[in-house]
Amino acid sequence: MNVITLKLNSGDEVIGRVIGEESNGDITMCKPVCLTPGQEGFGMIPWMMSAQDGQMEFNRNSIIAQGETIEEIAKKYLEVTSGIQLSI
């Protein structure tokens, strides 16, 4: 699936699909989102509301940790960003 979670030094936890990695460690993600608490559990909102094309580059110096997103959340991310319903 190639959906990963980044923990940034700002405290944000960002989920997105990796579309590129630079030799210097920078990561480009497509449609990154962050989890937000809601009345029915957690929801996903765009990490940067005003970005035009949905692709964002994260500087390696701003990333504390990264890892593969757990399957249930990765599938939900793909549903939210693609509009395709996946079976969990």
Side-chain angles (χ1 to χ4, degrees), residues 5-15 62-67:
T5 300
L6 303 177
K7 184 69 169 184
L8 305 181
N9 58 18
S10 65
D12 291 341
E13 189 170 315
V14 180
I15 300 167
S62 66
I63 301 170
I64 296 173
Q66 73 182 62

Side-chain angles (χ1 to χ4, degrees), residues 1-6 14-22 25-32 55-56 58 63 66-69 77-78:
M1 267 191 255
N2 205 20
V3 177
I4 66 167
T5 300
L6 303 177
V14 180
I15 300 167
R17 192 167 48 86
V18 176
I19 56 173
E21 289 189 59
E22 301 297 322
D26 291 355
I27 295 174
T28 303
M29 296 178 93
C30 180
K31 299 181 181 177
Q55 293 184 11
M56 284 162 234
F58 292 85
I63 301 170
Q66 73 182 62
E68 188 175 331
T69 305
Y77 164 81
L78 293 171

Side-chain angles (χ1 to χ4, degrees), residues 1-3 15 17 44 72-86:
M1 267 191 255
N2 205 20
V3 177
I15 300 167
R17 192 167 48 86
M44 295 183 184
E72 184 178 339
I73 293 176
K75 285 182 178 181
K76 194 62 170 171
Y77 164 81
L78 293 171
E79 287 178 5
V80 167
T81 57
S82 72
I84 298 172
Q85 185 72 27
L86 301 171

